[in-house]
Amino acid sequence: MRRFYIVLPVLAALLLAGCGNNGQLDGADGQAGEAAQLQEGTPQPVETADPQAAAAQSAAAASPEPSAVQETAVTPEADSAEYKREIAFDIDAISDPIVNDEIKTSLKDALEGIVNEDLKQFNSAFTTPDLAKANEYGFKTGGGITFTGVDYISNQPEGRVVMNVNYIWITADGEERSDSPNYWFMQSKEGKWGLVTID
């Protein structure tokens, strides 16, 4: 597109130079037309000895490209504000005694992976690569997402800890959804706590 804006004034200059004086307004009609243009506020080019330079100046003065550039510069800022991705609560401040530091770290890895759209970080929250692969449907990309908190923290049979993780997701096409999936944590064979499933 920039090439077009650069080439346009050059083509206009060549065409006007090729026309010579034939393109100028003559007689009473020409003077009336020039007067009408002056009343409408059309800027007059500075007279120069070089007709190509004069044509280039008038084409540059009439070109709308600065406003088009300004409009496109504003749009990405609006988009980034509209599609915010964040964790809006402090995971380390979860005070339930069954949520130990390993569970908090696992939860943090999963949520930060989603916020950063980093699948590798998301998968690192799980106790095994197979469980990570099976739960990739919980990995949200595109649009915006805000994790607003956790609730319903419970100690389940077979050494499992479950909590609801609340979020608001704005899809890439602007649809707003909210959900509270269960995040399930267990100890691995090595005894380390981590995420095992999201449902």
Side-chain angles (χ1 to χ4, degrees), residues 25-197:
L25 297 172
D26 292 323
D29 289 331
Q31 291 172 352
E34 287 177 347
Q37 286 180 348
L38 285 173
Q39 287 174 355
E40 291 172 5
T42 304
Q44 294 295 312
V46 178
E47 302 235 356
T48 64
D50 183 2
Q52 289 181 346
Q57 286 176 349
S58 63
S63 174
E65 63 181 322
S67 61
V69 170
Q70 288 169 355
E71 287 175 18
T72 54
V74 172
T75 305
E77 292 175 0
D79 287 346
S80 64
E82 184 180 348
Y83 294 123
K84 191 185 317 183
R85 300 181 70 87
E86 66 176 342
I87 301 171
F89 71 100
D90 185 0
I91 294 172
D92 292 324
I94 297 172
S95 59
D96 193 302
I98 63 172
V99 181
N100 60 40
D101 288 341
E102 288 181 343
I103 292 174
K104 290 178 185 178
T105 298
S106 178
L107 178 62
K108 197 179 297 185
D109 283 341
L111 301 189
E112 285 179 355
I114 293 170
V115 166
N116 299 327
E117 297 184 284
D118 182 342
L119 184 59
K120 186 176 180 181
Q121 183 179 14
F122 174 78
N123 286 343
S124 73
F126 290 84
T127 56
T128 70
D130 290 339
L131 289 173
K133 188 74 174 167
N135 285 277
E136 284 182 359
Y137 62 84
F139 183 70
K140 307 289 185 209
T141 60
I145 192 163
T146 301
F147 291 98
T148 57
V150 298
D151 55 26
Y152 182 73
I153 300 170
S154 175
N155 201 353
Q156 298 291 310
E158 301 176 13
R160 294 179 297 171
V161 171
V162 64
M163 67 178 83
N164 288 117
V165 178
N166 306 307
Y167 68 82
I168 299 169
W169 182 31
I170 301 174
T171 64
D173 54 358
E175 181 184 348
E176 185 174 316
R177 302 176 187 175
S178 59
D179 201 0
S180 300
N182 293 316
Y183 279 56
W184 295 80
F185 300 88
M186 286 182 70
Q187 285 182 297
S188 67
K189 291 177 181 177
E190 296 76 31
K192 184 177 179 182
W193 282 91
L195 192 55
V196 291
T197 194

